[in-house]
Amino acid sequence: MTHPQDPSLDSYDSLDPLDAFTAPDSLDDVHDPRFQAEVPVKRARRGPENPERLYILTGEDSERAPLDLVTLIVAKGEPSPTAQPEHSAVLRLCRTPLSVAELSAYLVLPVSVVTVVLTELLAADLVQARAPLVRSALPDRSLLEAVMHGLQKL
Amino acid sequence: MDFKSSDTLTSGMLSGPREQDVLPATAAAAVKIVIVGGFGVGKTTMVGSVSEIRPLTTEETMTEAGIGVDDDYGSETKTATTVAMDFGRISISEELVLYLFGTPGQERFWFLWNGLFEGALGAVVLIDTRRLEVSFDVIGRLEERGVPFIIAVNDFPDAPRHPVEALRTALDLEKEVPIVHCDARRRTSSRDALLTLMRYLHSLAMARA
Ligand SMILES: Nc1nc2c(ncn2[C@@H]2O[C@H](COP(=O)(O)OP(=O)(O)OP(=O)(O)O)[C@@H](O)[C@H]2O)c(=O)[nH]1
Ligand SMILES: [Mg+2]
């Protein structure tokens, strides 16, 4: 029986990341004093509310996605001495790529405020936005494999 | 602009990423995974244990109209609530970056972050078997939104241990949905939960192809 603290939980390193998922047959150790065969509560499954919305993001001709939390922002140049403080701060932080979420964290500003600043900087062509890869109806298998290989190196 | 600059900006105390936290210029795109679950199930712990950067916090402000308040002048009482979300980062390659968001359990906050769930590759739902029902709503919301997810049973010392299939029945999950054990405090254990999610997403992609 595999105990949750069994070090074999960490033995995925030896596995191919593409190995089919196999459910652990034992989260349950009947000799564990905490073992309880019965679960006292019960949930009811829900279905998709509006299946079409799954496809909205993936359409080729869909509107350009607004700035996402993980859109990577890169400055195109140095701030001018007369730039607003928010603009200069973003340009300084984005000398190397930085996500909108990280900008919000380092600037200690709400995401909606950061988005306003970035929209202005984009309009002035002072920053570049690198759009995220989002879940789609037909997921890109090579992307999923890349993420798996990256995680295995951790 | 119509907002108050943060003190951080005006005081010149602006912090940025530490040298070791800087992404390479080649970083071309990011993907995200959300870590959800009820209050205190270990979301922040999981984000922190696998992140390559010190976990950060992003916030959003929400204005709620006061309920049942309607005075003679037609003005409303509004309260501003700040909702915080922890996140971390894992560099997958020179081009690709993975972000992990530990998202508040209450669904009424989710709309604050446009596309957080719609664009995520998938979700890890953390559960605590002492309070299984606090995760019911979150699971239902993911189902409604068509977000693929796995269940990670967080390893609290005094939490009851149930057979996997009893948990699956109680949570009313399809037989394909992975249920794994995890200790969110351990990097390898959290990583394995993420790998389980990725393998599951991959199997879904294969089935659809
Ligand atoms: N034993 C054990 N304790 C854990 C584990 N994960 C988290 N904890 C502890 O549980 C407490 C709550 O964890 P958090 O990571 O703050 O939970 P959270 O989901 O972010 O909580 P909220 O953001 O408040 O909803 C902390 O004291 C953690 O140290 C775990 O896997 N095992
Ligand atoms: Mg937390």
Side-chain angles (χ1 to χ4, degrees):
Chain A
M1 281 273 161
T2 308
H3 187 271
Q5 246 136 36
D6 190 318
S8 69
L9 266 182
D10 292 336
S11 66
Y12 277 110
D13 288 330
S14 56
L15 296 181
D16 186 285
L18 294 183
D19 276 353
F21 168 79
T22 42
D25 43 21
S26 48
L27 294 183
D28 43 318
D29 180 344
V30 291
H31 304 296
D32 188 316
R34 295 163 294 181
F35 181 79
Q36 279 179 25
E38 304 288 322
V39 182
V41 287
K42 177 93 176 78
R43 188 187 79 95
R45 194 178 301 181
R46 297 188 212 165
E49 229 168 24
N50 175 3
E52 283 130 74
R53 68 195 289 179
L54 300 184
Y55 300 89
I56 290 170
L57 278 165
T58 66
E60 275 293 298
D61 48 23
S62 64
E63 264 180 73
R64 215 157 58 104
L67 287 169
D68 187 275
L69 274 173
V70 301
T71 300
L72 297 175
I73 308 295
V74 195
K76 289 187 164 179
E78 291 296 314
S80 82
T82 56
Q84 296 176 31
E86 294 81 11
H87 287 196
S88 320
V90 169
L91 292 176
R92 268 183 278 124
L93 285 170
C94 294
R95 287 181 182 129
T96 52
L98 212 54
S99 66
V100 172
E102 281 164 298
L103 278 171
S104 153
Y106 290 126
L107 296 168
V108 202
L109 288 172
V111 175
S112 51
V113 173
V114 173
T115 303
V116 170
V117 175
L118 289 174
T119 306
E120 291 168 353
L121 287 169
L122 281 166
D125 201 27
L126 293 170
V127 296
Q128 186 201 16
R130 302 179 181 172
L133 300 171
V134 297
R135 185 178 75 251
S136 62
L138 276 177
D140 175 355
R141 268 187 271 160
S142 59
L143 170 68
L144 300 176
E145 287 162 19
V147 174
M148 279 189 262
H149 285 292
L151 285 172
Q152 282 224 310
K153 287 185 297 184
L154 269 188
Chain B
M1 227 173 300
D2 193 28
F3 62 84
K4 201 171 124 275
S5 293
S6 76
D7 296 341
T8 320
L9 279 181
T10 45
S11 66
M13 297 270 294
L14 179 67
S15 72
R18 298 173 305 176
E19 208 173 308
Q20 64 269 36
D21 291 348
V22 167
L23 285 173
T26 49
V31 290
K32 55 186 185 268
I33 288 176
V34 288
I35 296 171
V36 287
F39 177 74
V41 291
K43 303 177 291 290
T44 301
T45 306
M46 179 174 266
V47 168
S49 74
V50 285
S51 178
E52 70 191 10
I53 56 169
R54 183 174 49 83
L56 296 169
T57 305
T58 175
E59 56 180 47
E60 194 51 284
T61 335
M62 166 168 76
T63 317
E64 287 179 293
I67 299 161
V69 181
D70 193 4
D71 65 23
D72 292 345
Y73 307 96
S75 64
E76 298 172 339
T77 319
K78 289 195 173 171
T79 46
T81 312
T82 301
V83 186
M85 181 164 65
D86 315 302
F87 68 100
R89 196 183 79 195
I90 298 171
S91 292
I92 296 298
S93 68
E94 291 293 298
E95 292 83 32
L96 186 63
V97 193
L98 167 65
Y99 286 90
L100 304 169
F101 289 92
T103 308
Q106 304 97 313
E107 197 259 0
R108 67 194 177 96
F109 295 146
W110 292 2
F111 75 93
L112 281 173
W113 290 283
N114 214 343
L116 176 59
F117 285 87
E118 285 74 8
L121 296 179
V124 173
V125 179
L126 281 171
I127 62 166
D128 175 350
T129 54
R130 294 168 301 185
R131 310 173 287 134
L132 210 53
E133 60 288 350
V134 301
S135 304
F136 285 2
D137 191 52
V138 129
I139 296 172
R141 302 291 182 176
L142 294 174
E143 286 170 338
E144 283 171 3
R145 286 158 187 252
V147 183
F149 62 89
I150 66 150
I151 302 289
V153 184
N154 213 356
D155 189 18
F156 290 99
D158 53 336
R161 301 292 152 103
H162 301 296
V164 177
E165 290 317 310
L167 270 180
R168 185 181 303 285
T169 306
L171 293 172
D172 197 11
L173 301 175
E174 309 249 17
K175 67 175 190 314
E176 297 78 20
V177 177
I179 301 175
V180 292
H181 236 290
C182 140
D183 184 334
R185 298 165 302 180
R186 288 164 64 204
R187 185 185 183 86
T188 47
S189 186
S190 296
R191 177 206 58 190
D192 289 344
L194 294 174
L195 270 172
T196 300
L197 172 67
M198 295 313 302
R199 290 197 190 94
Y200 175 56
L201 297 177
H202 194 267
S203 70
L204 293 178
M206 298 288 279
R208 245 172 271 178

